[in-house]
Amino acid sequence: MVKKTEEGICPVCGDVDIDYLGTDFDSPFIFYNCVCRQCEAQFVEVYKMEYDGFNMEDEDGNEHLYDAEGNEL
């Protein structure tokens, strides 16, 4: 039986002892291949990326982080 869950929690037994075995990327999604050490269930955590801003280096080599509207954070 599959339980309602959140990231880092096994959807089968609810344990948090998860091994992350690798990732796959298919924009805008990132897939984390997982196995639960407690019940040995194999599953994939799915995350959706969202544009949030950008990082830029100035002429002096200093990095600056900006939000999506161009405001420096």
Side-chain angles (χ1 to χ4, degrees):
M1 172 174 225
V2 176
K3 300 178 180 183
K4 183 178 178 183
T5 188
E6 49 189 73
E7 65 184 275
I9 298 175
C10 176
V12 176
C13 73
D15 203 88
V16 296
D17 195 5
I18 305 298
D19 276 336
Y20 291 88
L21 305 175
T23 59
D24 293 312
F25 174 77
D26 187 8
S27 185
F29 299 101
I30 298 176
F31 304 92
Y32 288 94
N33 302 304
C34 307
V35 65
C36 177
R37 287 185 172 182
Q38 181 66 32
C39 72
E40 299 181 354
Q42 294 182 18
F43 57 97
V44 178
E45 288 187 351
V46 180
Y47 295 83
K48 186 174 182 181
M49 294 188 315
E50 179 180 309
Y51 179 75
D52 201 37
F54 60 97
N55 189 5
M56 196 164 130
E57 207 173 273
D58 65 20
E59 58 275 351
D60 296 323
N62 300 309
E63 290 189 10
H64 299 272
L65 181 61
Y66 298 88
D67 65 16
E69 287 79 38
N71 301 308
E72 189 166 6
L73 301 174

